[in-house]
Each structure stands twice: as structure tokens, then as C-alpha cells.
Amino acid sequence: MKKTTRLLRFEDAWLPNLAAWAYMLGAYVGGFAAIMADALWLNAAGVLLLAHGMVIAAYFIHECAHDSLFRLPINNHRFGEVLLWICGASYSDYEAIRMKHVRHHLDRADVVSFDFRTRLPHYPKLLKTIQVLEWFYIPALEIMMHALVVILPFMKESRRYLRRRVVTVLVLRIAFFAALASIAPKVLLLYPLAYMIFLTVMRFMDVHQHTYDVHETLDFSREAQVKQYDRAFESRNTYSNLFSEKYPWLNLLVLNFAYHNVHHDQQIQPWYRLPGLHAKLYGDDRTQVLMFSDLARSYHRYRVARVLNGDPADLDVRHDGGRTFIGVDGVSFLTAH
């Protein structure tokens, strides 16, 4: 039997992936160049490019987590580690991120090791500050979750092994931005702005894709309570939050992550096949499809209420297209807690 030497997992993967990687790197590097330029219009374009480059990198991490990019798992791991640096999430351990996401699929729940919903009410001033910032569309809760990636290794014994990594990454990133700021101080304002846009896009996609229970069991083996969630439960509690059905190319803005039902049906399928598989599997059945226009209203209307919200499983969100779907915060696959 001839041994395959194929690098990518699928033979048809080279063209779409090379195009997406070229755009991702171009947006990331070009974004930094643009935010350091003198012209304000270039600064504005750079903020958007930089944010979108990070978005595409994040969804390639998702591809790596499912081993749907490279044939060998070790190459998915290596590429995922590189992408974490692009996303500014390199404080996390890639394998911990992958395992959290695998548990999400296996347990059919939002599995976390730190559920802020049970803790924030005990800190009313912090809660109020987060709610005020969220009212102004500042993704304070996501910023807190990413900050906890740095903090928790010094508070939880189970995360102690990450301390050296966190310190190393902090030193390198501070040095990197200090060097950029010595050339163009505006980087210290425009990069955080781009990063908040990046977090907002990532959160918008996560908020309405499931009506799952939240279980604080990530640091433990699979609990008995998750065994009640079967494939039928997964299907009816998973939603595809499409930007557009008429213009499917718009869903490429998030590397087709919006086709979430077909992803849960066939987790190993690569991002570029999802639109075709969605059409093949579901046809005109829009039972689990929620559209951008409706979800944008919900995202706006419940941006403060969502801070402490946890949707009950089997919540009916389809009766009005998702306009009264509050959704859930703090379930990003980029934070392994």
C-alpha cells in the first residue's frame, strides 16, 4: 500500500486555503502598516483590516481544533499555536483550547471551568461597570474573559503549568508593542480598537448559535448530567446564523462559521465545503436558520441583559426569527476556561 505524503487533509483544500491564508496575513500585516501611517483614512482602514485578519485566524484555529486542515494532528497543533499569536490569544495553551471545544461537541453543552454568572453578582461594582461598558458596545465581558486567561494560572492550581507561558508571552508582547509605539504611538490606541472589533465579531457569532446548558465541569471528566443530551437535542438546539442566503459569499467574512448546523452534523468537513453541504442536507428547510438582520436587533436590545443570561435548553427562539433571543456570553473557544 502506498503511503500518502499529502500535507493537507483534503485534496481540494489547497486553493481555498492558500487564498484565505494570503488574505489573513495580508490583512494582519497590512493592517498594522496602515494603523501606523499618517493618513487618518489609512488608520481607519487598518483597524478594520487588522480586526478581520484576526477573525479569519481565529476561525482557522477552529479548523485546526477539528483536525480538518492538515492530515497530521501535530501540524494542526503547530499551526494553531502560530495563529494564537495572530489573535492575541497566545497566553492560552492550544491543546487546552482544543479540548474545551471538543468537550463542547462531545457533551453538547457549553462546558467551562469558570462560570462568571454565579460570581459576578457578588461583586456589584464590577458587575455595574461591565454592564455600563456593554451598554456602550464595549465588549467588557469578553475582555474580562481574556484577562482571566492571564490571571487564572496564578489563582488556580490546575492552571499553574501555564504560569511560565503567560509571563513569557506578556514580556514578548509588551516588547513588540513598545517597539511599534516608538515608531507610531497611535498603535497603542488603534490596536485595542481593532481588538475590540475582533472580539465583538467573534462574540456576535457565538451568542446565538446554541441554546445549550452551561456546565462548570471543564476541569473534570464528563459528568453524568450531559449524557441526557443526544443527537436530536444537539440538532434542535443548534442554529445557523447566516449573514445572507441570497449572497452566500458574505458568510466567508467569518470563514463560513455561520453554517453551524452542518458543522455539528459533519465536524470534520472543511470550511469551504459547508455552504454546499448545507444546501444538500437541508435544502429549503430553514427550521434552524436565524438571519443576521433579526439577530442584530437582538444583539443590540439585550446587550446588557445578556451579561448574566444563560439560556435554558430547548428554548423556543424561532417563533420570531430570533428577535427575542437573548443569547449567551463568555463561551468563546479562544478562552480555555
Side-chain angles (χ1 to χ4, degrees), residues 120 123-141 203 303-307:
L120 273 180
Y123 303 92
K125 291 183 179 179
L126 175 60
L127 174 59
K128 186 64 177 179
T129 300
I130 289 174
Q131 290 171 328
V132 169
L133 291 172
E134 292 284 355
W135 191 89
F136 283 104
Y137 297 96
I138 296 172
L141 198 57
R203 176 168 58 180
R303 63 194 186 278
V304 176
R306 190 177 300 114
V307 170

Side-chain angles (χ1 to χ4, degrees), residues 258-278:
Y259 294 97
H260 212 59
N261 284 89
V262 71
H263 167 62
H264 272 255
D265 281 341
Q266 301 188 24
Q267 297 170 34
I268 207 68
Q269 291 291 344
W271 61 274
Y272 55 88
R273 291 182 183 173
L274 298 185
L277 288 170
H278 177 91

Side-chain angles (χ1 to χ4, degrees), residues 83-130:
L83 294 170
L84 283 175
W85 284 87
I86 293 178
C87 293
S90 44
Y91 307 97
S92 292
D93 173 55
Y94 167 80
E95 190 59 25
I97 286 175
R98 189 187 73 83
M99 286 308 301
K100 178 185 178 181
H101 192 66
V102 167
R103 285 285 298 274
H104 165 72
H105 282 276
L106 288 176
D107 294 4
R108 299 178 174 113
D110 287 319
V111 185
V112 299
S113 68
F114 180 87
D115 187 2
F116 58 84
R117 294 163 191 79
T118 63
R119 294 170 171 84
L120 273 180
H122 298 295
Y123 303 92
K125 291 183 179 179
L126 175 60
L127 174 59
K128 186 64 177 179
T129 300
I130 289 174

